[in-house]
Amino acid sequence: MCGIVGYIGPKDAYPILIKGLHRLEYRGYDSAGVSLINQSGSLVVYKAKGKVAALEAAAEEKDISGTIGIAHTRWATHGEPNTTNAHPHYSQSHSLSLVHNGIIENYKTLRTELEKNGMTFQSETDTEVLVQLIEYLQTTHHCDLITAVHLALKNVIGAYAIAILDKRNPNQLIAARKGSPLVIGVGKGNETAAPGEAEFFLGSDATPIIEYTNQVIYLQDEEIALLNRNGKQLITNLESVQQTPQLVTLQMNLDELEKGGYAHFMLKEIFEQPNAIRNCLRGRIDRDTLSIKLKGVDESKDRLLTARRIIICACGTSWHAALIGKYFIEEAAKIPVDVEYASEFRYRNPVIDKDDVVIAISQSGETADTLAAIQLAQSHGCFVYGICNVVGSSIARATDSGTFIHVGPEIGVASTKAFTGQLVSLIMFGLALAKEKKTLSETLYHEIINDLTLIPEKMQQTLDNSKGIEQFAKIFTYCKNCIYLGRGYNYPVALEGALKLKEISYIHAEGYPAAEMKHGPIALVDEEMPVVVIAPRRGMYEKIVSNIQEIKSRNGRILSIVTEGDTQVKNMSDFCIEVPDTRDSFAPLLSVIPLQLLSYHIAVAKGRNVDQPRNLAKSVTVE
Ligand code: F6R
């Protein structure tokens, strides 16, 4: 939530900052702003309500010169999304400007104190307190800016990633983080660089940086960075002790950040799934011996094999993946698995044993609740295994071991390829454990792995079969509510299908285990209510046929997802989409694809902003 970009170096800062904001817009799009120290030495701030394009329009006639700047795209927490509350915020004297991602929990107390001491505030944000506090401490302690930043951050409760400009010192950029991510790019400069002149970039993630350098430092919690134009970079902790940063080479490809000819990132990401899953499997499945090699499991065998139970913590779509993971791991490795919403787990005093293993699943690796659940588990002595997409993310770094899903950057706010990548990673995890625990026969183990290798091709066939969805979607555009039903492995797919529809089309939708319908929800069914039923041939096919019958006899309209060649459910359905046959436990990997496409086409037909749905942000770094 909220994106931060920063630059200091020989180049013009503004175009770099704006391009960076576009890359980070998925993190929030309530407002955008930029601050520069321009050629004449003025500290300027330009901001606009809405998207980065609105900021560009607002800055059109303005002086956007300068080789140092910070910028922000906001997902509002404190204060409505308007220009005043947009970042960057000035300090009272207008000497400093600051951008922030996170929440300052004690901002009210700090603000009251500062107001008593004569500071005045322009906005309703928690962020403005930070910049005012820093200025106040600098003035009252007669110290330099970096010392004032240390003093201020020691007084702050909450989460922050910040970047600060000081008009009096155009040669330095200050950044700090706790609980919210911040990456420093170490650039190469260009021909306009003076001898010894360096360049640094800042980003909430690496996407604004990769174009210029692949050398990055992931700032750690409670670290403060002083980045100087002369190349000096000083990283200290809150106690002012110098830290030794680790320079990491990014493995990211610029093409992955573009739409590549697709109308939306979401559509591109749906279509990327066959290749994304190939990448997820690469190096982990040995096709000759039909065996799985997961480094994370190998490295932590002792802890994993002695686990009394596994608790999976996640949010949203990742939580749906966790539910499917539970079914698979219990079936294959015979370990009890509990699935928890991270936001509930962290606050409800759960019974946690040091011999439990916690799996944290997160695409972004930055979800605040999941991170807090990890910390809670670790404080009970649990071993925590991460399943993340973003390399270098907070969750990837906080977990004791783990697997990256390697599906490439996911930019559309609605998660698609990360979901299937998470499923495949959970399946590989379950299989690796099953092998060690000898809970599957050799024959079945090899058979399952063989089936897994066929999934990318079957995903491609599913995509090819789904061409008609755009037509159904037009009909569904007019519905106000929708029910999704599935059983067994496909029950979480029903939840996921309903979430996809809600979040991008704003149509109310609910997912249920099909058999639960008669315990209440069937009262909702009438000719106005579309019911999407996931009914592949394997699993509880006959049972779901009966459930469909119950809906049909109440005039419900059925859209079914069936196995290729099915006639029984197809004949009972108003609309039908076929997916290739696979084993029951792998059905979600295919059945979710038509549901992703259905939501996508409905949202497009309704004229929604598919990649940036209202009120949402890709990375939920506040609780
Ligand atoms: C839905 C969606 C969200 C995320 C959730 C967790 O399409 O994207 O529900 O799944 O916010 O995010 P991560 O996986 O980044 O922890």
Side-chain angles (χ1 to χ4, degrees), residues 378-576:
Q378 286 173 333
S379 73
H380 282 75
C382 286
F383 185 82
V384 183
Y385 194 93
I387 295 185
C388 290
N389 191 29
V390 179
V391 178
S393 59
S394 302
I395 291 175
R397 284 180 292 126
T399 43
D400 301 304
S401 179
T403 299
F404 285 111
I405 63 174
H406 288 317
V407 297
E410 191 181 67
I411 293 168
V413 163
S415 189
T416 51
K417 63 177 178 173
F419 175 73
T420 44
Q422 290 164 346
L423 293 186
V424 166
S425 302
L426 285 160
I427 289 167
M428 290 192 295
F429 178 90
L431 287 171
L433 241 54
K435 171 84 175 160
E436 293 296 331
K437 289 173 65 102
K438 302 195 174 19
T439 45
L440 290 176
S441 70
E442 284 279 303
T443 321
L444 183 56
Y445 172 76
H446 294 315
E447 207 177 287
I448 297 175
I449 294 176
N450 187 52
D451 286 349
L452 192 55
T453 63
L454 303 177
I455 287 295
E457 190 49 41
K458 292 187 176 182
M459 283 179 147
Q460 191 55 55
Q461 287 167 27
T462 307
L463 288 163
D464 297 342
N465 285 352
S466 299
K467 299 219 165 76
I469 294 180
E470 201 171 341
Q471 289 314 313
F472 307 158
K474 294 206 175 89
I475 300 161
F476 276 65
T477 310
Y478 300 100
C479 70
K480 298 223 161 7
N481 299 287
C482 194
I483 291 179
Y484 286 69
L485 301 178
R487 295 192 72 152
Y489 279 100
N490 285 301
Y491 154 52
V493 179
L495 297 178
E496 176 59 7
L499 175 61
K500 288 288 91 88
L501 187 66
K502 280 185 270 210
E503 66 182 331
I504 60 168
S505 73
Y506 319 149
I507 293 173
H508 172 246
E510 296 294 336
Y512 285 102
E516 274 296 301
M517 281 299 280
K518 51 177 122 22
H519 298 287
I522 201 160
L524 294 168
V525 173
D526 60 17
E527 57 285 352
E528 307 265 287
M529 174 70 87
V531 181
V532 180
V533 188
I534 305 134
R537 167 89 70 210
R538 302 187 198 221
M540 286 172 269
Y541 182 75
E542 294 306 333
K543 303 269 176 215
I544 209 154
V545 168
S546 313
N547 300 139
I548 296 173
Q549 204 60 63
E550 289 154 12
I551 293 159
K552 281 301 288 176
S553 47
R554 277 138 190 109
N555 298 325
R557 281 193 302 158
I558 306 278
L559 187 160
S560 61
I561 313 292
V562 300
T563 305
E564 263 166 7
D566 178 288
T567 48
Q568 192 176 1
V569 171
K570 195 172 185 174
N571 290 339
M572 294 160 76
S573 308
D574 299 271
F575 311 100
C576 182

Side-chain angles (χ1 to χ4, degrees), residues 285-312:
I285 288 197
D286 184 329
R287 282 164 193 270
D288 298 328
T289 59
L290 285 179
S291 56
I292 300 271
K293 189 149 182 58
L294 267 194
K295 200 159 146 254
V297 171
D298 285 351
E299 283 170 1
S300 43
K301 233 183 251 176
D302 295 349
R303 286 302 299 264
L304 296 175
L305 292 177
T306 52
R308 208 173 53 100
R309 67 169 172 164
I310 291 172
I311 307 168
I312 313 185

Side-chain angles (χ1 to χ4, degrees), residues 315-318 362-364 367 413-415 422 499-500 503 620:
C315 302
T317 288
S318 300
S362 175
Q363 185 286 129
S364 62
T367 302
V413 163
S415 189
Q422 290 164 346
L499 175 61
K500 288 288 91 88
E503 66 182 331
V620 186

